[in-house]
Amino acid sequence: TLPRDGQISHIVYGLLGNEVAQLVNKRHGAGNHTASFDASRLDSGQYVYRLRANGVTLSRVMTLIK
């Protein structure tokens, strides 16, 4: 949910820092938004995803199990 319009960036990285997927990288209006992530080509393991919006950056670790 965005409280105001802004540039959004949502990127998935491998643990070594290599970019493996770019889910969103564009300007969005205020409101609720969703993004789909197709991880079918990725190996099982841990990945870091980073969401940047309106001057705020959130990074989290995700475990992909196939």
Side-chain angles (χ1 to χ4, degrees), residues 25-65:
N25 190 14
K26 65 180 184 177
R27 188 162 184 80
H28 277 288
N32 295 324
H33 302 278
T34 60
S36 297
F37 177 43
D38 178 8
S40 61
R41 64 179 182 83
L42 298 177
D43 294 329
S44 294
Q46 290 190 316
Y47 296 87
V48 175
Y49 61 93
R50 179 170 292 150
L51 174 63
R52 292 182 180 172
N54 294 328
V56 176
T57 301
L58 299 173
S59 296
R60 301 288 186 267
V61 176
M62 149 179 72
T63 302
L64 177 63
I65 301 171

